[in-house]
Amino acid sequence: MVTLENGTNFVADAVIVTVPVGILKANLIEFIPKLPDWKVAAIADLGLGNENKIALRFDKVFWPNVELLGIVAPTSYACGYFLNLHKATGHPILVYMAAGRFAYDLEKLSNESAANFVMQQLKKMFPDASDPVQYLVSRWGTDPNSLGCYTYDLVGKPEDVYDRLRMPVGNLFFGGEAVCMDDHQGSVHGAYSAGMMAAENCQRYLLEKLGHVQNNLPLVSVVRHEMLETTNILQISRM
């Protein structure tokens, strides 16, 4: 049974948990019975990073036709780069990427202040840069539905932490970028492939519970590979 904040209940034979690791770390979901110690330890042993994007849309392009524009600063704290979405989409948009402690500090600013700060960085490269006609600011670190952006390895933690996080607990299955098996942790593609894997495992569990043979239905993994072969994936947000 899954109970929502408003008291609504959903009853199912199995559950796939795909909430961000930040939600699991903050214990915002109450599991009854509690998750076993090895699962709790796996959640604690993963690091949780933050990266925010400030997207700036202009009325015209004034920058070179390159994939990214890097910013060199006196300290690593102020370093960042702009992704050139015009090269990928044809729209006059630059996206400023801020990670680590810098990303958390940007979340303390208003949207306007964050956009103004980014424009100051951009005008160091292009003094005659025009002001944006629209901007969007992400706040993954304080978003109550994420509380972070991506997982990473903590120094000195066990090598099997991802395997333990991936393992089901009874009829509870776990998906999301953190449990990706194809080295795409921290990306949308990783979350997608991990979700397909969790769905396949859940399907196998339900078929075994019902006494059916697994081969009676097409495997999700087969569908996944066929889908990926016909999809042109643009990996522009992960360098």
Side-chain angles (χ1 to χ4, degrees), residues 212-223:
H212 293 292
V213 180
Q214 177 68 20
N215 292 332
N216 285 347
L217 291 176
L219 291 177
V220 178
S221 58
V222 175
V223 178

Side-chain angles (χ1 to χ4, degrees), residues 23 43 49 53 59 83 88 94 120 129 136 146 148 179 185 193 218 228 237:
I23 302 301
I43 296 171
K53 302 179 181 180
D59 55 359
L83 286 177
L94 292 175
Q120 292 176 7
L136 294 173
S146 62
V179 303
Q185 287 91 358
S193 62
L228 292 180
S237 63

Side-chain angles (χ1 to χ4, degrees), residues 122-139:
L122 186 61
K123 287 187 176 182
K124 291 179 182 178
M125 293 185 284
F126 305 100
D128 298 328
S130 60
D131 291 332
V133 297
Q134 185 183 9
Y135 54 81
L136 294 173
V137 181
S138 69
R139 286 183 167 79

Side-chain angles (χ1 to χ4, degrees), residues 14-236:
V15 173
I16 300 178
V17 181
T18 61
V19 299
V21 173
I23 302 301
L24 296 177
K25 280 182 170 291
N27 294 318
L28 296 182
I29 297 178
E30 182 183 8
F31 291 92
I32 303 174
K34 294 182 178 180
L35 294 176
D37 292 342
W38 58 267
K39 178 67 74 173
V40 175
I43 296 171
D45 286 345
L46 275 177
L48 185 65
N50 190 22
E51 186 170 21
N52 279 308
K53 302 179 181 180
I54 296 91
L56 307 171
R57 180 174 176 268
F58 300 90
D59 55 359
K60 62 180 180 179
V61 175
F62 53 81
W63 55 87
N65 188 31
V66 295
E67 291 186 356
L68 60 88
L69 303 164
I71 299 174
V72 178
T75 65
S76 60
Y77 175 80
C79 284
Y81 63 92
F82 291 88
L83 286 177
N84 178 18
L85 290 197
H86 179 261
K87 188 176 180 67
T89 68
H91 298 289
I93 298 174
L94 292 175
V95 180
Y96 181 77
M97 311 291 289
R101 183 164 53 89
F102 189 32
Y104 284 105
D105 288 346
L106 277 180
E107 295 190 24
K108 301 175 184 178
L109 303 177
S110 65
N111 288 354
E112 182 180 6
S113 297
N116 289 338
F117 170 81
V118 172
M119 283 302 301
Q120 292 176 7
Q121 310 308 308
L122 186 61
K123 287 187 176 182
K124 291 179 182 178
M125 293 185 284
F126 305 100
D128 298 328
S130 60
D131 291 332
V133 297
Q134 185 183 9
Y135 54 81
L136 294 173
V137 181
S138 69
R139 286 183 167 79
W140 294 115
T142 52
D143 188 314
N145 294 316
S146 62
L147 298 180
C149 191
Y150 59 90
T151 54
Y152 64 89
D153 297 333
L154 291 176
V155 175
K157 294 301 181 181
E159 295 182 357
D160 65 344
V161 58
Y162 292 104
D163 294 331
R164 287 184 285 124
L165 185 63
R166 185 184 306 116
M167 290 178 61
V169 178
N171 58 350
L172 292 179
F173 299 85
F174 292 82
E177 54 86 19
V179 303
C180 173
M181 294 183 64
D182 51 11
D183 296 328
H184 285 96
Q185 287 91 358
S187 70
V188 174
H189 178 72
Y192 168 79
S193 62
M196 297 290 283
M197 178 191 64
E200 182 179 349
N201 292 335
C202 182
Q203 179 194 48
R204 182 182 300 110
Y205 168 84
L206 294 176
L207 288 174
E208 291 177 352
K209 183 179 178 181
L210 295 173
H212 293 292
V213 180
Q214 177 68 20
N215 292 332
N216 285 347
L217 291 176
L219 291 177
V220 178
S221 58
V222 175
V223 178
R224 176 177 63 204
H225 295 319
E226 291 177 352
M227 186 181 300
L228 292 180
E229 288 176 358
T230 59
T231 303
N232 182 19
I233 302 174
L234 181 62
Q235 295 182 338
I236 193 172

